[in-house]
Amino acid sequence: MATIGFIGLGNMGGPMAQNLVTKGHEVKVFDLSDEAVNTLVDAGAARADSAGEAARDVQVVVSMLPAGKHVKAVYMGEGGVLENAAPGTLLIDSSTIDVDSAREVAAAAEAKGFEFVDAPVSGGVAAAAGGTLTFMVGGSDAAFAKADPILACMGKAIIHAGGHGTGQAAKICNNMVLGITMIATCEAFVLAEKLGLDHQKLYDISSKASGQSWSLTSYCPVPGPVPTSPANNDYKPGFAAAMMLKDLRLAQDAAESAGANTPLGHDAMELYEKFAAAGEDGTDFSGIINMLRG
Ligand code: NAD
């Protein structure tokens, strides 16, 4: 069992930290929200009063924060993780952040002799609670080998993507495909409606033909064909449009920074911007079908 400092106890980090406690690790927690810390302390974790304190005298640090600026502040800021962690502490950031920030923090950590991995997750709050997340990990072979058993307490699949930043790269490339295929699937249903083709018939045919995708067969954006999809529950998330927009923006930032041509990723981002601006940012991302119907 390991001693672990966990920083960022929100919708995802709270249940992830809880799983580490349940699996028998000694966990010290910090969040800007006292309420979030209290919940974990009631569940058996120890309280830390700062990110630096959470990182002190532990073998592993795990963070689950909103965006790159929070991760940089927590690790590289004054009184932060890099100033306080003991030599040899393994650093794991599971937040979804931009590739450039992930590589910047990794370089700063390495310069101080720490092993760092970016390890963003696929799967939402239910997967965080159930310990069934998928982790995409960027870092050295040695750091991955050390992170693997810790991440396995919170996830069902732990995949080594390559060097620093490739975990974040895998996450945004995957979610760019998801955003684009969801819009494509929605457009197909909207066109089918106009052409007098029944939803279930399009599903039955496309799910066995070349139009098949996860967006269709696991997350169908019309009610009926896939009973568990948010379309059957008034488009309650699920995966909120705001989250999809965040990931599509990260993909476009990365594409710009790396000089990659991603026109459909760009269009998908603009459509989700329009959807969010119409007050639908809290709606499941498959609900964009209602905007596409016009
Ligand atoms: P959240 O906003 O619920 O939680 C973030 C937590 O970080 C909050 O409790 C906040 O108080 C804390 N925090 C912010 N700055 C801090 C600081 N300086 N020190 C300590 N704590 C700080 O977000 P979430 O839904 O838990 O998501 C976390 C990350 O996981 C994000 O990067 C998100 O994109 C990613 N993600 C979320 C989901 C999801 O379904 N919610 C799915 C996959 C990935």
Side-chain angles (χ1 to χ4, degrees):
M1 288 300 132
T3 50
I4 302 174
F6 202 113
I7 303 164
L9 306 165
N11 293 320
M12 296 292 288
M16 288 165 70
Q18 168 76 66
N19 276 326
L20 292 171
V21 172
T22 306
K23 299 273 162 67
H25 294 292
E26 210 176 295
V27 184
K28 190 161 45 146
V29 296
F30 175 66
D31 193 289
L32 296 177
S33 152
D34 284 340
E35 203 187 327
V37 172
N38 290 341
T39 302
L40 261 292
V41 169
D42 288 347
R47 177 188 308 275
D49 289 325
S50 67
E53 195 189 320
R56 211 173 296 143
D57 301 323
V58 292
Q59 294 161 311
V60 183
V61 170
V62 182
S63 53
M64 193 57 169
L65 299 159
K69 64 178 180 190
H70 308 97
V71 175
K72 282 205 268 188
V74 160
Y75 281 86
M76 297 160 68
E78 211 182 306
V81 172
L82 298 187
E83 276 184 10
N84 283 282
T89 307
L90 170 67
L91 310 177
I92 303 175
D93 178 46
S94 283
S95 326
T96 300
I97 67 170
D98 59 289
V99 176
D100 290 344
S101 293
R103 289 189 169 143
E104 210 179 307
V105 177
E110 272 197 344
K112 291 204 159 200
F114 294 109
E115 284 179 315
F116 175 93
V117 295
D118 50 294
V121 303
S122 176
V125 176
T132 58
L133 293 165
T134 295
F135 286 88
M136 300 154 244
V137 187
S140 70
D141 289 344
F144 176 77
K146 283 188 200 161
D148 190 34
I150 303 295
L151 299 178
C153 297
M154 302 179 280
K156 67 169 170 19
I158 324 296
I159 301 160
H160 192 191
H164 292 309
T166 57
Q168 300 294 349
K171 166 89 185 171
I172 58 173
C173 287
N174 179 75
N175 280 17
M176 187 174 75
V177 172
L178 176 62
I180 292 169
T181 58
M182 179 52 79
I183 291 167
T185 305
C186 290
E187 288 187 5
F189 277 108
V190 170
L191 179 59
E193 288 164 6
K194 297 275 186 205
L195 299 176
L197 172 62
D198 182 63
H199 285 165
Q200 186 66 46
K201 291 292 177 197
L202 174 60
Y203 178 87
D204 291 346
I205 294 162
S206 233
S207 63
K208 291 180 182 60
S210 46
Q212 190 276 338
S213 72
W214 187 91
S215 294
L216 179 69
T217 54
S218 293
Y219 217 82
C220 190
V222 294
V226 177
T228 51
S229 78
N232 300 281
N233 190 23
D234 211 16
Y235 297 99
K236 289 196 180 70
F239 187 53
M243 295 274 189
M244 174 49 79
L245 179 55
K246 173 189 172 180
D247 293 351
L248 289 169
R249 282 180 171 148
L250 287 174
Q252 285 313 292
D253 288 349
E256 201 171 305
S257 159
N261 192 25
T262 54
L264 283 179
H266 184 264
D267 286 355
M269 179 190 73
E270 285 194 340
L271 284 166
Y272 276 104
E273 270 171 354
K274 199 171 155 200
F275 188 52
E280 302 287 354
D281 48 334
T283 302
D284 186 76
F285 81 116
S286 61
I288 200 165
I289 191 168
N290 290 321
M291 184 182 89
L292 294 168
R293 279 199 187 97

